[in-house]
Amino acid sequence: MARRGMSKRGERDDDDDDVDVELEPPVARTSPGQQNGGSSQADELARLKRLLFGKEAQRLAYLEKALSTGRLTPADVSAVLPEAVRHTVAKDDRLGKALAPTLESAIQSSVTRNPKRLADALFPVLGPAIRKSIAAAMSGMVDNFNAALENSLSIRSLKWRWEARRTGRTFAEVVLAHTLVYRVEQVLLIHREQGVLLCHVVAPSVQIRDPDLVSAMLTAISDFVADSFGDEDGDEPVAEVKFGSRTLHVAAGPYAVLAAVVAGKALPTLAESLATTVEQVHMEAALELSEFRGDADVFRAVKPLLEECLDEQRKERKRSPLVWLVWLAILGTAGWFGWQAWQERQRVEAVWQGGLSALRQAPGVVVLDVDRDGDRVRIAGLRDPEARAPAEILAAAGLDPSTLDLEFETYSSLDHDFVEARMRRLLDVPGAPFLRLVGDVVEAQGHATHAWIERASILAPTIPGVTRLDRTALVDTDRRELESAWTRLAALRFHFTEGTDVIEPHPVDDAEIALTLSWLDTQTALAGSFARIVIQGRAVPTEQDTVGDLGRRRASAAARRLEELLPEATGYDIVADVDPGDPEAWGGRADRMVHMKVKLLGVGRR
Amino acid sequence: MIRAKVCMLGAYAVGKTSLVQRYVQGIFRDVYQTTVGVHIHKHETTVEEREVTLMLWDIHGEDDLQEVRRSYIVGSAGYLLVADGTRPATLEVALQLHERAISVVGDVPFALLLNKADLTERWDLDDDRLDALRAAGVLVRRTSAKDGSGVVAAFEDLAAGVSQR
């Protein structure tokens, strides 16, 4: 073979030489003697060749280069790759299997780098896949539940329990034996020569013994049978072994055998299925099998193939009426609870909507944002301090305040009722007159103290919704009292003995005069003003007193008298003066008296 | 994990089963029971932090009536030849089986165990013959399934050998 190979190589070299002759310009082949004469001819020939075969020559040169270097450029590979992939896929699935590890690494790398990208790409298929999986799981659960119902409630199950007790088997084993047509309990991949277990899968809830020993013993038995009863070259392993209710089905490949332990009567297709699987195992792990040196871990990759063989078929059974009744009861109960839950939910929703509506309609409350998160509700908005508390409104509507998070900021509503309420809270204090809000004006009617009037006049324009206090219909009680006091004082007369400034006794005693002075003093303070008592003294002019000095002295005497009566007064002062009146008009006692006038000097004088 | 088939080869009553029981179960039964066909035992050990499962094929002893089947030896990753130091003929049987094993599985790790080392005063082996075997590259070890001497070392060394193939 080695020599034949050399010969081929030699032939190919010759071929290469032929190609060289065609591609090289003729000038390289000419002798030195011909060089000058043939140069122009050669040039022309080369030119002609370029004209005729220019593209082909370039292509040949390219191919020659590719062959000589033995390398393919990315452009070469890209040109043939799609066709090559189509060809390989049409032929078999080796390409997919070869690419699988690379794809797995690529996906792992992608997930590590940016999981969101793959998640976004898979999102459309994840939903259906999950639904399908859940549906399958639910179906299995219902089947198992049905089986459990039947097996725990029926007379038959009692028989099976008795059978399990009698035969020493577990109840599960007895149930399986009666309900399964067949089940592949475990599948072993065994190295054909060494009898070593390469891979092993077991159906759920199947109790197994040491699969290593099973593999070795199966091989030993198979060897023994083959040696004892087989053909001369017969190394075909045992195909089937029956033991009790189980059968061992064996499918052999060149390097490994696949043994399936089957409970019950297997379907005829099982043998074919095992044969296909063992072929696939040989295809996928050809190298690992042929060069097996004891490392069984490398066969983990074929475990999914073995798991596909774990098939089972259950007996179709007519459902017991009891099962239907139980299902009916369960569905009925579930339906009743569901109806109750739905009704409760509707009720809660109605209460909630009613509460929210009441809150929205409540004067002085503005709902800005409602956020429901499960059982908790957050309501944000504005509330006038005069308005009803939102928690109170919602509680009155039947909502549980403990489930509410209320965030209300304070604001002033311009609603008439709220403006009036605000006005009354500030102005309608004890002693206030009758108050009425007309538009944005507070009308006050009746009597009020001077202090109230002053306060109300200042506060009214500061109340949101109010511009001023209308006091035209208002009586200042303090001012009235003051006027009353000075009227009484103005009526007071002091008479003097003739020609002197000695005050005659007068009918009003000093105590009463002092009381009137005190009243005046108090009322000027309450009315926020200051009074001046002007005392004017009269005296008939004489030859000795032409300028009315006596009248002035009389006024001063009266002033001293008043000062003595209430020395601590601060609400007024006293001025003594001559009465500028006409003495002719006085007559009688009137010409030797003093009288008083009271002047109010205005608010803020004190 | 490494899984390896290891055969116990030798004449009848040399102590193959006793060696396996001593190694696997740590016991010795002073009652002889002949092996019919093959008994298979499993023993897990560790070689250089690597798990090695030895599938020990305790094959029936070779005698005039029954010959060790070729198919039992096929696929062995290693084997132990067992001879009884008190019966020189068993050494020859062991060497014949050695030849047969080489023809079936080729050059794989093996050792020649001269068993019943607890009875050395009754041994009747030709030392020159043993020296010649050692010179030929055969690993000759003394073992006693009864008192356990050399047993574990023989199996563990073989396990190390098969795990390094």
Side-chain angles (χ1 to χ4, degrees), chain A residues 44-63:
Chain A
E44 285 176 9
L45 185 61
R47 200 173 150 202
L48 184 63
K49 280 172 78 172
R50 272 201 304 277
L51 287 170
L52 289 174
F53 308 111
K55 284 185 180 175
E56 285 74 6
Q58 277 177 2
R59 188 169 169 76
L60 281 170
Y62 173 78
L63 288 172

Side-chain angles (χ1 to χ4, degrees), chain B residues 17-92:
Chain B
T17 303
S18 296
L19 285 167
V20 171
Q21 283 180 341
R22 167 62 72 180
Y23 177 55
V24 175
Q25 299 170 326
I27 57 167
F28 175 77
R29 289 200 182 93
D30 203 5
V31 179
Y32 176 68
Q33 284 185 326
T34 187
T35 302
V36 178
V38 60
H39 285 172
I40 296 171
H41 300 264
K42 175 183 170 182
H43 190 76
E44 291 172 352
T45 183
T46 307
V47 176
E48 291 175 356
E49 298 182 352
R50 208 166 171 201
E51 288 178 39
V52 177
T53 301
L54 294 179
M55 301 305 302
L56 299 166
W57 287 48
D58 176 17
I59 300 167
H60 64 80
E62 172 127 325
D63 58 23
D64 295 338
L65 297 175
Q66 57 177 353
E67 186 182 78
V68 171
R69 292 169 188 274
R70 182 182 176 280
S71 58
Y72 286 163
I73 304 172
V74 168
S76 296
Y79 54 89
L80 290 172
L81 303 165
V82 187
D84 180 353
T86 63
R87 290 154 57 204
T90 60
L91 180 59
E92 299 309 319

